[in-house]
């Protein structure tokens, strides 16, 4: 990857934080409660936004349960363990030292981010921009979120490198015309590879 990138754009869960296993626990409980006929559904919905999950799996008679599920999710997120992916802190420091712009581009909302900020008071200072679901009109796999981030920095898509773990996120980065690094934190390296320019398991020994 012999290129001088001007911006590094990071998804949040499974990319900055090793949170995906915790979400599998939460959604495993909800799916067993409401969809016992679909064992393992929590693994199929990985990387989808809450709106996407609700639209596909909690419509019709289950629509009335959305408020309660959302309340339980927010409570769960407020107590999650937000542990950085190994090597992330060193990578982000290196990028900032070299003048590479950094941004979080996540489908998480502001309420979720407040939980992150409580857990990591230093978090805001790691990035030049933090874009959440409130900042773009279309969710991944639309490229809208990553194109919005590039415009925020006044850059072209090919100036940017994207770090993603979910299939929707990988497709979003690719559709935006950016270089895509896939993390095999949520899905296997073999599954991630077709949608990625490079696959890594963490940031140890990774150099942009």
């Amino acid at each position: 990857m012999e290129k001088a990138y001007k911006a590094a754009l990071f998804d949040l869960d499974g990319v900055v934080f090793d949170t995906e296993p915790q979400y599998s626990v939460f959604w495993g409980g909800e799916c067993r409660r409401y969809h016992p006929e679909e064992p393992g559904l929590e693994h199929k919905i990985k990387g989808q936004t809450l709106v996407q999950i609700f639209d596909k799996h909690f419509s019709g008679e289950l629509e009335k349960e959305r408020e309660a599920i959302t309340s339980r999710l927010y409570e769960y997120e407020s107590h999650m363990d937000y542990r950085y992916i190994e090597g992330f802190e060193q990578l982000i420091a290196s990028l900032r030292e070299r003048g590479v712009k950094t941004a979080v581009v996540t489908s998480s909302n502001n309420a979720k981010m407040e939980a992150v900020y409580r857990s990591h008071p230093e978090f805001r200072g790691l990035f030049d921009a933090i874009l959440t679901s409130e900042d773009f009109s279309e969710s991944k796999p639309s490229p809208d979120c990553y194109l919005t981030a590039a415009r925020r920095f006044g850059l072209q898509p090919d100036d940017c490198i994207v770090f993603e773990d979910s299939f929707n996120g990988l497709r979003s980065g690719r559709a935006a015309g950016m270089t895509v690094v896939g993390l095999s934190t949520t899905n296997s390296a073999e599954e991630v590879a077709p949608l990625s320019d490079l696959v890594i398991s963490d940031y140890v020994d990774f150099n942009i």
Side-chain angles (χ1 to χ4, degrees):
M1 304 174 76
E2 298 290 331
K3 180 175 171 58
Y5 295 100
K6 297 178 181 178
L9 313 178
F10 297 85
D11 179 41
L12 188 69
D13 295 294
V15 174
V16 174
F17 294 122
D18 187 19
T19 46
E20 287 299 342
Q22 297 173 77
Y23 278 112
S24 291
V25 171
F26 173 81
W27 284 111
E30 298 298 318
C31 290
R32 284 190 292 275
R33 178 186 304 202
Y34 296 109
H35 287 289
E37 78 285 358
E38 292 189 66
L41 179 59
E42 67 271 21
H43 301 297
K44 298 176 185 176
I45 63 177
K46 281 183 177 180
Q48 296 181 21
T49 66
L50 185 59
V51 170
Q52 289 168 338
I53 293 170
F54 279 167
D55 284 349
K56 188 167 184 179
H57 302 286
F58 293 89
S59 56
E61 280 296 308
L62 290 179
E63 192 166 337
K64 64 181 184 296
E65 301 295 329
R66 292 181 180 183
E67 184 175 348
I69 295 170
T70 301
S71 179
R72 287 193 292 271
L73 175 61
Y74 287 175
E75 173 64 18
Y76 185 82
E77 288 178 333
S78 71
H79 295 96
M80 284 195 342
D81 177 20
Y82 293 98
R83 184 173 67 255
Y84 288 116
I85 298 289
E86 193 171 1
F88 174 78
E89 293 168 282
Q90 292 79 7
L91 173 63
I92 206 77
S94 172
L95 294 173
R96 300 300 296 275
E97 286 173 5
R98 293 165 55 187
V100 177
K101 294 292 187 182
T102 57
V104 165
V105 182
T106 177
S107 297
S108 299
N109 58 21
N110 286 329
K112 157 74 173 293
M113 296 311 297
E114 288 302 323
V116 170
Y117 301 147
R118 286 193 298 272
S119 179
H120 288 281
E122 81 289 353
F123 190 82
R124 284 187 176 96
L126 299 179
F127 302 94
D128 297 292
I130 296 176
L131 282 71
T132 64
S133 61
E134 290 87 356
D135 294 306
F136 35 86
S137 56
E138 297 178 9
S139 298
K140 303 169 186 177
S142 165
D144 182 46
C145 58
Y146 284 116
L147 293 175
T148 298
R151 287 193 298 270
R152 179 76 62 92
F153 293 142
L155 299 175
Q156 295 301 311
D158 63 0
D159 291 324
C160 305
I161 184 169
V162 167
F163 295 83
E164 271 285 359
D165 65 315
S166 72
F167 298 131
N168 279 344
L170 295 164
R171 292 186 181 102
S172 175
R174 178 146 288 183
M178 301 176 180
T179 297
V180 178
V181 176
L183 277 90
S184 57
T185 51
T186 301
N187 302 288
S188 71
E190 292 74 20
E191 291 173 311
V192 168
L195 296 170
S196 308
D197 295 295
L198 176 71
V199 178
I200 59 176
S201 58
D202 56 36
Y203 301 105
V204 176
D205 298 326
F206 175 79
N207 190 322
I208 196 170

